[in-house]
Amino acid sequence: MLAIAATAQVVTRNAGGLVPIILVATYPGLLLFRNVLTAELLFAVFLNLAVAGLLVATCVGKTARCWLVATAILCAAVAACLRSQGLLIPIAAVLLAAGIVGRDTPVRVTVIAISVAAAFALLAAGSRFGASNSDQASAVFVSKTLFCNHLNIVLGSDAARRELALVAGDRADAAMARLTADFAAEPGRWPVLGFFGDACLFDAALDRDVAGDNGNVGATAAYWRIFLTAVRDRPLAYAGKFVRQMAYGASVAWPPYGLAPVIPVSTDDVPHVSDILTRHGWASRLIDLRGGPVQIGLLSDFPSVSAYLFRALSTVFVIAIVFWTVTAARRSNFATRAGIVIAMWAASIVPAAAAHTLDVVRYLIPAVPMVGLMLSLFARELTETIMADHLSPAIKRPR
């Protein structure tokens, strides 16, 4: 948040631009991250650092611009390594960087080219850091998430069913029966998705059915093949799910987290964490996974105030996007900088909706600091526009 406040100060050169940052910093949803170190937290940090670097690069000298753009590209790559749904972020950062830098000296272009190569090398190698070969659920997580969260398309596609029968071999009937049971389990748990995806995601026996004799590698490849076959066979069904998920996210994307004084105890993940600890020989350790409710504090003690304040900020953010669209034709600095924020924000949201089709609202939370930057830019541009319109009649008035 301090880095974002510094960015707002440099870009807007107006202390008033810090007000939205201060308001966003008090959002209780951000304070959820203070109690636990997660990949989601680190993803949020590097995503927003990448945005900050690109924004500052628009208003500094050419040498500083070169190094800031290179750093932003590397931060975007690290963010993508920390969360699979961030895959579009380094791509968006590279495209935006190309527009910011334009034609420059060969030395500076070489520096940026090296940063791009390093970013994609890091993405190729580092994106699998979180996959432990000793843990089946971790190794197959990405491909199995796509497979399970689009299980309705898989089961509705004859081509996908044939592909499943091909990879499962003599265990095809057992695998199909298992998938049908998983699909029918607790349909009300995820109403947006239409079925309970975790029933499939944590079905370890299913991995053995589709992997054959190839272990984790075979299961990962099988899930990918079946998912891609289902999407190719029923592209309109997949597109429809994506559109519905984005519409759902837009309709409920008013900050929903942390508006109560405490974070309740989780009941969904504890059994899975306990199972992982047991399989790695840590069951004997005295670890209280349930704990108790976590106090959030600050404005969460005033939930009604928080609700109105942050829904108002969300509304202003939407207005800012419309304002940016209208002013983009002017090719002003605001249009350029607002475009950077919106492009990076969209790059972090769209893959989540395309892959998870589940709770895109949860994946909007890391973008909240970027909302503060957008509001800062909007406040400055709107103020300058009003002042210019106010001063114009005085300037034109005959003496």
Side-chain angles (χ1 to χ4, degrees):
M1 295 307 300
L2 291 174
I4 289 173
T7 301
Q9 180 64 27
V10 170
V11 173
T12 64
R13 301 187 186 281
N14 187 331
L18 295 176
V19 174
I21 304 296
I22 294 171
L23 292 176
V24 170
T26 63
Y27 172 46
L30 289 179
L31 299 181
L32 294 176
F33 297 124
R34 75 179 182 179
N35 300 293
V36 61
L37 185 64
T38 63
E40 201 79 16
L41 165 64
L42 298 176
F43 169 80
V45 170
F46 283 101
L47 169 61
N48 286 279
L49 286 179
V51 176
L54 292 173
L55 281 177
V56 176
T58 63
C59 55
V60 295
K62 290 186 176 181
T63 301
R65 180 186 306 164
C66 168
W67 291 106
L68 280 168
V69 164
T71 302
I73 291 172
L74 290 174
C75 286
V78 174
C81 288
L82 292 164
R83 202 184 82 186
S84 301
Q85 289 88 350
L87 184 63
L88 288 183
I89 292 172
I91 297 174
V94 170
L95 295 176
L96 291 169
I100 293 171
V101 174
R103 295 182 180 180
D104 212 324
T105 64
V107 174
R108 295 192 184 109
V109 172
T110 301
V111 171
I112 295 173
I114 291 173
S115 73
V116 172
F120 284 102
L122 178 63
L123 188 61
S127 61
R128 299 303 295 162
F129 284 161
S132 169
N133 289 329
S134 64
D135 181 62
Q136 182 83 348
S138 176
V140 302
F141 178 75
V142 174
S143 58
K144 194 175 183 182
T145 296
L146 290 167
F147 174 87
C148 290
N149 282 350
H150 296 287
L151 189 55
N152 59 327
I153 300 178
V154 172
L155 293 177
S157 167
D158 292 335
R161 284 172 172 266
R162 288 193 296 270
E163 188 67 33
L164 176 62
L166 182 64
V167 299
D170 57 358
R171 287 173 289 195
D173 291 339
M176 187 60 67
R178 196 178 300 280
L179 283 177
T180 303
D182 289 342
F183 184 74
E186 303 181 84
R189 287 286 294 276
W190 291 353
V192 177
L193 193 60
F195 54 92
F196 184 45
D198 276 0
C200 167
L201 187 62
F202 292 105
D203 190 343
L206 182 63
D207 299 340
R208 294 190 291 271
D209 288 340
V210 302
D213 299 325
N214 297 320
N216 294 352
V217 175
T220 300
Y223 287 130
W224 272 114
R225 286 170 55 189
I226 298 169
F227 166 71
L228 293 176
T229 300
V231 171
R232 285 194 298 266
D233 186 45
R234 303 190 64 194
L236 294 180
Y238 177 75
K241 287 187 68 175
F242 173 78
V243 171
R244 286 196 303 272
Q245 180 59 19
M246 290 298 288
Y248 166 76
S251 67
V252 297
W254 314 101
Y257 291 101
L259 299 183
V262 297
I263 307 173
V265 177
S266 171
T267 57
D268 291 340
D269 299 328
V270 168
H272 304 304
V273 176
S274 299
D275 178 61
I276 292 173
L277 291 174
T278 301
R279 283 189 279 115
H280 287 275
W282 294 346
S284 60
R285 299 190 182 185
L286 296 176
I287 302 176
D288 183 6
L289 296 175
R290 296 187 182 276
V294 178
Q295 295 289 331
I296 298 179
L298 290 181
L299 289 183
S300 62
D301 291 327
F302 307 96
S304 59
V305 174
S306 291
Y308 286 115
L309 172 60
F310 294 107
R311 285 170 185 162
L313 290 177
S314 295
T315 303
V316 176
F317 177 69
V318 174
I319 295 172
I321 293 177
V322 175
F323 185 83
W324 168 76
T325 304
V326 173
T327 59
R330 294 168 48 194
R331 299 185 182 277
S332 64
N333 288 333
F334 170 75
T336 301
R337 293 164 188 165
I340 291 172
V341 178
I342 293 171
M344 295 293 281
W345 176 72
S348 68
I349 300 300
V350 170
H356 257 67
T357 353
L358 168 62
D359 52 355
V360 71
V361 179
R362 180 164 67 90
Y363 292 113
L364 288 173
I365 296 304
V368 167
M370 284 194 288
V371 171
L373 283 172
M374 185 66 188
L375 294 178
S376 294
L377 295 172
F378 174 61
R380 182 211 176 188
E381 181 72 9
L382 191 60
T383 301
E384 291 185 353
T385 301
I386 293 173
M387 291 181 63
D389 292 341
H390 179 72
L391 292 175
S392 292
I395 294 174
K396 295 179 181 178
R397 187 181 303 146
R399 295 181 181 178

